[in-house]
Amino acid sequence: MPFSVATWNINSVRLRLPLVLQFLRDYQPDVLCLQETKCPDDLFPREAFHMAGYEHIEISGQKGYHGVATLSRRPLTEPARVGFCDIADCRHLSTVVNAGTKRLRIHNFYVPAGGDEPDPEINAKFRHKLGFLDEMKAMNAVYGDGHASLLVGDLNIAPLETDVWSHKQLLKVVSHTPIETEGLEKLRKDGGWSDLMRHHIPPSEKIYTWWSYRAADWAAADRGRRLDHIWGSPDLETDLTDITILREARGWERPSDHVPVIARFNLD
């Protein structure tokens, strides 16, 4: 049975609602996980998504900042929202969906960006990011309940050398510093997660999901980073059929600086 999950940091769901609806019409993922929705729950545009065929919605939002939402064409159950670092921001949402014979738990994450200075002693935002990653260690791929698992979202770290336009030039830039990249990879491996994007696309190949707004011509400069991720429990590796990074979405009118990533599966 074909099944697809997409992740996208939309950078304001209300501002970019036409882009999300266009994406849903054109690509029709079974589940779409959005990050940085910047929208309180009571103002989330549910009706527009219902009309697009996404009747099942779970959200965790706040005014002006952060926020995650999971939209689905299939029923969502067991919603859970975990707080991190004793800070009342909305950066995690998990749900369960039935897909074929599998019950699939989907974690939707928006990890803190971390500010500009990669020193936790002088930068509280970076200290928060490192603390958040430390607490994410509790998110394991296998819980012993029979569910398969996905962990998707904007993790704000590009872990591999081929996940950035220049490994050497970005070693001291937040999102690619060794403390972040090594920490994220340790978290992933210790938690039993498979990097499904790199399972499908060889680590020797450069891939990006984010291009800065600061570039006058983002496409020509092509100084991207892979900040958006799709991880899965090991049993999903053999079910994975495709990974699509929708690079062209960065060139849409009034785009997010992130683009959608779609994972497609063939589930029993």
Side-chain angles (χ1 to χ4, degrees):
M1 185 198 72
F3 180 81
S4 58
V5 176
T7 181
W8 192 5
N9 178 321
I10 195 59
N11 194 8
S12 177
V13 66
R14 288 179 290 174
L15 178 63
R16 297 187 171 83
L17 181 59
L19 298 186
V20 183
L21 294 175
Q22 174 188 333
F23 171 75
L24 293 176
R25 284 193 301 269
D26 292 347
Y27 294 91
Q28 300 182 12
D30 291 286
V31 176
L32 171 61
C33 295
L34 297 172
Q35 302 89 38
E36 205 171 357
T37 54
K38 296 182 177 179
C39 180
D41 292 355
D42 60 332
L43 295 180
F44 193 85
R46 288 177 177 270
E47 184 176 350
F49 292 126
H50 288 166
M51 293 179 65
Y54 291 78
E55 298 182 1
H56 309 282
I57 299 173
E58 292 290 343
I59 54 179
S60 179
Q62 62 188 104
K63 182 179 179 180
Y65 296 94
H66 320 314
V68 290
T70 301
L71 322 176
S72 178
R73 298 195 293 180
R74 303 164 181 262
L76 296 172
T77 61
E78 302 180 37
R81 298 158 179 84
V82 175
F84 290 80
C85 302
D86 295 322
I87 297 176
D89 50 8
C90 300
R91 296 182 177 274
H92 170 265
L93 170 65
S94 72
T95 53
V96 173
V97 62
N98 288 336
T101 59
K102 281 187 167 65
R103 285 180 61 75
L104 183 62
R105 176 182 288 107
I106 303 176
H107 292 283
N108 182 358
F109 266 101
Y110 177 43
V111 171
D116 294 326
E117 179 58 54
D119 184 344
E121 297 301 319
I122 62 174
N123 180 2
K125 291 181 178 180
F126 194 67
R127 185 165 62 251
H128 176 209
K129 183 176 190 175
L130 298 182
F132 193 101
L133 292 171
D134 188 60
E135 293 187 14
M136 276 182 69
K137 293 175 182 177
M139 297 292 174
N140 295 315
V142 177
Y143 285 87
D145 57 6
H147 293 14
S149 298
L150 286 170
L151 189 157
V152 310
D154 177 6
L155 305 188
N156 262 313
I157 298 172
L160 305 185
E161 293 187 16
T162 49
D163 290 337
V164 293
W165 65 273
S166 173
H167 170 62
K168 290 183 179 179
Q169 294 186 65
L170 293 179
L171 275 172
K172 295 183 179 180
V173 174
V174 173
S175 80
H176 193 61
T177 65
I179 192 172
E180 296 170 272
T181 60
E182 293 169 9
L184 186 70
E185 281 294 273
K186 186 176 190 306
L187 182 162
R188 181 183 66 79
K189 293 174 182 177
D190 288 352
W193 295 100
S194 171
D195 182 347
L196 294 180
M197 292 173 70
R198 285 305 187 181
H199 180 74
H200 186 75
I201 302 170
S204 58
E205 183 177 336
K206 280 187 175 287
I207 52 175
Y208 312 139
T209 65
W210 173 91
W211 292 262
S212 174
Y213 284 133
R214 297 175 183 176
D217 187 335
W218 71 273
D222 202 24
R223 294 188 170 189
R225 307 177 202 175
R226 180 174 72 119
L227 302 182
D228 305 272
H229 297 263
I230 298 178
W231 297 354
S233 50
D235 58 315
L236 291 175
E237 289 184 345
T238 55
D239 298 323
L240 181 68
T241 60
D242 185 62
I243 292 285
T244 299
I245 300 169
L246 200 64
R247 177 187 170 98
E248 58 265 36
R250 183 61 179 83
W252 290 349
E253 186 175 356
R254 300 183 75 184
S256 171
D257 45 0
H258 297 253
V259 300
V261 183
I262 309 168
R264 295 182 176 88
F265 302 88
N266 188 12
L267 301 174
D268 296 330

